[in-house]
Every structure is written in C-alpha cells, then in structure tokens.
Amino acid sequence: QSGFETYVHGQGTLIEPGERDPGGIDDGVRDILADLRREATLAESAHLAALVQRHVAGALGPVGDRGIKRAPFDVLYESRVPSVLVEVGFIDHAEEGPRMVDPDVQRIIARAIALALVEFGSRREAKRIIFAAHP
C-alpha cells in the first residue's frame, strides 16, 4: 500500500455502547447532547479533512490520494473541536518509505497541512463575522 489519506471520526450508532451511565433521564439527555456536539464537530472535521486532502494532493500529486475516510479512532472520538488524522504515507513501502524520512518531503507535507489549517481557520473566522453581523 502507498499514498495518503485523511480520517474523521465515524460511528454507526447514536450513542456508543458503554458510553452512557446507567440511571435516570438526566444521563440520557447528557448523552444525547454529547452526541449532538460530536456530530456538529464532525461536519466541521469533514470540511477540514477535505482541505487537508486537497492541499496534500496538490503538494504530493493526486496519484497517491486515498481519499477521506471515517474510522472510530480514539484520538478523534472525544474531540470538542474539528479534528482529523492525516496518514501521509507508508514507511514500509519500498519507494514511499525513503521519501517519508526525507526532511524536504516532510517540509512539503507540513506546509500543505499548514496551508489547509490556515484556509480552514480563515473560513471559520469569516463565518463567525457574518453570523455576528446578521443575527
């Protein structure tokens, strides 16, 4: 395998088994509110993932583009802010592995991800200004 991909958190159920404390309605309401927060964050994460994937593809070329995927990675699960996990290559691939340890390639990848973050932040700030001006 070779290439790069970006992950956002994905899950198939509204509330994961074992996530909810046994008890009254307050626990259920708290769980539903937590899930709604995660879903709102997921939409923004998906947008961030698209920007990251586009910028990395622009830097490395579209041939290795493995797309955007959903996976239940723990590192993304409880995030309260837009979050992605970027896999930029396969270190065990005969051709790609040596490129992954090249400092120049690392800088190119880091710059692409940084540009995606800047673009994402600029768009979020623009939305915030628009919504603040038009309540």
Side-chain angles (χ1 to χ4, degrees), residues 6-11 68-74 76-77 85:
T6 305
Y7 287 90
V8 296
H9 187 268
Q11 61 190 38
I68 300 167
K69 301 177 180 179
R70 291 179 66 157
F73 292 128
D74 287 343
L76 298 173
Y77 180 65
L85 177 85

Side-chain angles (χ1 to χ4, degrees), residues 54-105:
R54 180 170 53 86
H55 280 277
V56 173
L60 298 180
V63 173
D65 189 341
R66 296 170 54 94
I68 300 167
K69 301 177 180 179
R70 291 179 66 157
F73 292 128
D74 287 343
V75 70
L76 298 173
Y77 180 65
E78 287 295 330
S79 178
R80 295 174 186 232
V81 297
S83 304
V84 298
L85 177 85
V86 185
E87 297 283 346
V88 295
F90 289 80
I91 198 77
D92 60 350
H93 187 271
E95 294 173 20
E96 194 170 71
R99 281 197 313 264
M100 292 294 101
V101 297
D102 181 334
D104 291 331
V105 173

Side-chain angles (χ1 to χ4, degrees), residues 9-17 35 39 70-72:
H9 187 268
Q11 61 190 38
T13 59
L14 181 62
I15 299 172
E16 291 293 318
D35 188 67
E39 287 301 315
R70 291 179 66 157

